[in-house]
Amino acid sequence: VFCETHTFGNDGEYLVTISVTNPADETGQGTVTVIVTNVPPVLTVESPVEGFEGTPVTLVSSATDVGDDELRYRWDFDDDGQWDTDFSLDGSVEYTYANEYDGQAVVEVDDGTDRVTAGVDVVIANVPPQIVSDPPTVAFTEQRYEYRVVVQDPGAEVFTWRFDEAPDGMTVDEF
């Protein structure tokens, strides 16, 4: 009885031939084709990802492959089933969420034969609006005072306006 072990480094078909010789110098031979199937890559992610709307966050993934295949990654940032990036050799990607988000991003790695996906928990917080205009600080008696407020907000919120403090009768006109 003879036993030989071998670890194949990659998938494919391999021809294995073994010969055996007895003391009378007589040789026997056997051949077999070994079919080695691909082993899917092992995917890991850094989770959770936290940030603020309008500010880039980095989503990080990495994968290993026993077959040393080239690995390509793509991302679905809001887990809607639509891939938001093309395949890339880099498992990490920077993305800016326009609005607050609490859910999953999905990464997929492809080794040319098999594809593996993993979810990343993403929590993107809302950012309060900021008034970025300077109001006129001088007003005249019996003349209309007007201040066109300019607001910045990375999200797509609809704003409501109110005075926290103002003279009686002052009103807000919304445009």
Side-chain angles (χ1 to χ4, degrees):
V1 172
F2 175 78
C3 180
E4 176 64 30
T5 62
H6 178 75
T7 302
F8 291 90
N10 217 338
D11 56 309
E13 289 188 16
Y14 297 89
L15 188 62
V16 178
T17 302
I18 189 164
S19 298
V20 60
T21 304
N22 66 17
D25 207 24
E26 299 167 326
T27 301
Q29 195 174 58
T31 301
V32 64
T33 300
V34 178
I35 300 172
V36 178
T37 58
N38 187 62
V39 175
V42 176
L43 180 60
T44 58
V45 295
E46 290 184 16
S47 186
V49 171
E50 296 177 342
F52 296 96
E53 65 180 1
T55 304
V57 292
T58 302
L59 298 115
V60 178
S61 72
S62 61
T64 56
D65 187 79
V66 296
D68 202 28
D69 297 318
E70 180 178 85
L71 300 175
R72 300 176 310 133
Y73 304 82
R74 66 181 177 177
W75 286 88
D76 173 1
F77 297 121
D78 56 4
D79 195 17
D80 65 356
Q82 301 294 317
W83 296 109
D84 297 307
T85 68
D86 293 326
F87 278 108
S88 166
L89 297 177
D90 189 353
S92 298
V93 66
E94 190 173 271
Y95 182 70
T96 301
Y97 286 86
N99 283 310
E100 65 269 16
Y101 179 71
D102 188 353
Q104 289 247 307
V106 177
V107 61
E108 180 177 70
V109 63
D110 180 346
D111 71 356
T113 304
D114 292 306
R115 292 181 177 180
V116 177
T117 60
V120 178
D121 293 324
V122 178
V123 178
I124 303 299
N126 187 49
V127 174
Q130 291 185 327
I131 296 175
V132 295
S133 55
D134 293 322
T137 57
V138 175
F140 298 99
T141 306
E142 300 300 319
Q143 290 186 11
R144 179 179 168 96
Y145 173 82
E146 186 174 292
Y147 169 34
R148 293 185 180 264
V149 180
V150 178
V151 175
Q152 282 185 342
D153 186 274
E157 288 86 14
V158 175
F159 302 115
T160 57
W161 303 86
R162 74 171 192 278
F163 289 115
D164 291 331
E165 184 176 324
D168 288 340
M170 185 176 251
T171 61
V172 174
D173 294 331
E174 294 190 36
F175 301 81

